[in-house]
Amino acid sequence: MARTSHSGGEAPGSSEQATPFIERGGPDYRPTMLALFLGAFSTFALLYCVQPMLPILSEAFGIDPASTSLVLSVSTGMLAVGLLITGPLSDAIGRKKMMSLALLSASALTIGAAFMQHWGMILVMRALAGLSMAGLCGVAMAYLNEEIHPSFIGVSMGLYIGGNAIGGMSGRLISGVMVDFVHWRVTLATMGIISLISALAFMKMLPPSRHFEPRKLSVANLAGAFRLHFRDAGLPWLFLEAFLLMGSFVTLFNYIVYRLLEAPYHFSQTTIGLLSIVYLSGIYSSAWAGGLADRLGRSRVFWVFVVVMLAGLALTLASPVVLIMVGMLIFTFGFFAAHSIASGWVGQRATQARGQASSLYLFSYYLGSSLAGTLGGTFWAMGGWNGVSAFIAALLLLALLAGLRLRRLTASSS
């Protein structure tokens, strides 16, 4: 699909020739990708640092696993709601400004949550932090699609998604290890401080937009762009994929923790935190799959990685812990590969209001995390890990059907 050229905005230029795209190997490419990597790291470390703490929070506040999972689900749920606002808002006021405010406020709210004494107030702070995170998540994809040369979108989006993976891994790993040695409040405050430092570095390094074109924020413009996106042959299916893939991913990591804390495994919190090293496979697969999609076409390779996720899920049903670990590794590899391809695909198919298109994709993504992540607790209560696995398998089978539908898109439109 042809890319619409842009000029003006935060750092306007008279033409595409006067304001060239950022190309891989060029002087601005490394600082751009490093800044977005740090932004993604900060956001996802804050979002997922509570996941290894779920059993500790259950005990500290005397609540069941499904209720405890709200500390993550309210964040992802409000993040999803925020995406409906921040993407279109960034179309009006600019990308870098929106992302910078988002990172600073999310870090401050996380530090504040560490001092809350009541469970309800912790959930409020986590909800507000999730709302703030939407300002980065809903805008970074649009920034990449506007500023990076189309030839390098796949691999660049993969590197950004790799930052998501490292942030998610680091948030889980650092907090999972720390809570074995210090209070969970100290752990949460530390994560907020780390993310605040990352946010400041992001603001210093990220170049201002060159191809951003402001869109007037109005109900008519929003409704028109919404209709345009949902009339597209591929975008609605990609939004559905986001819901199903993220829902399955978060559900697996939410409840595998409870399984491994029980007999016969009896893992410590430190060991649970170390399980986050499986994210390393996602860090690799996101960039690799993005490059593969650039070469072969997204519609040809996307569905394959959904099958990879199903294979990884099947291995987690085994009893030996080695096979469970291998299954998690394969599952994570497939998830980040599929997410990387779909993320780049959305930006390429959306010829107008890319911020809104990215927001709709990520709204579906985090809505899946919030709804499926909490609903998984019901399946855990009914059938343990077998029940959770059946739920995840159902989500992935639907994702595979949608992926096969996307496969029928012509190469020229994918």
Side-chain angles (χ1 to χ4, degrees), residues 41-58:
F41 170 88
S42 176
T43 299
F44 287 89
L46 293 182
L47 189 61
Y48 292 112
C49 67
V50 296
Q51 205 165 40
M53 303 183 200
L54 293 179
I56 290 176
L57 294 172
S58 290

Side-chain angles (χ1 to χ4, degrees), residues 229 231-239 345 349 405-406 409:
H229 297 327
R231 286 175 185 156
D232 184 82
L235 286 174
W237 293 100
L238 289 168
F239 300 155
W345 205 345
R349 294 198 65 89
R405 172 63 180 80
L406 283 163
L409 293 173

Side-chain angles (χ1 to χ4, degrees), residues 37 103 132 169 174 185 191 223 227 230 242 248 274 285 299 316 333 347 350 372:
F37 177 90
L103 292 171
S132 298
M169 178 188 74
I174 295 170
R185 296 184 185 276
M191 295 305 302
R227 289 193 298 269
F230 276 90
S248 64
L274 290 173
S285 71
S299 61
T316 67
F333 181 96

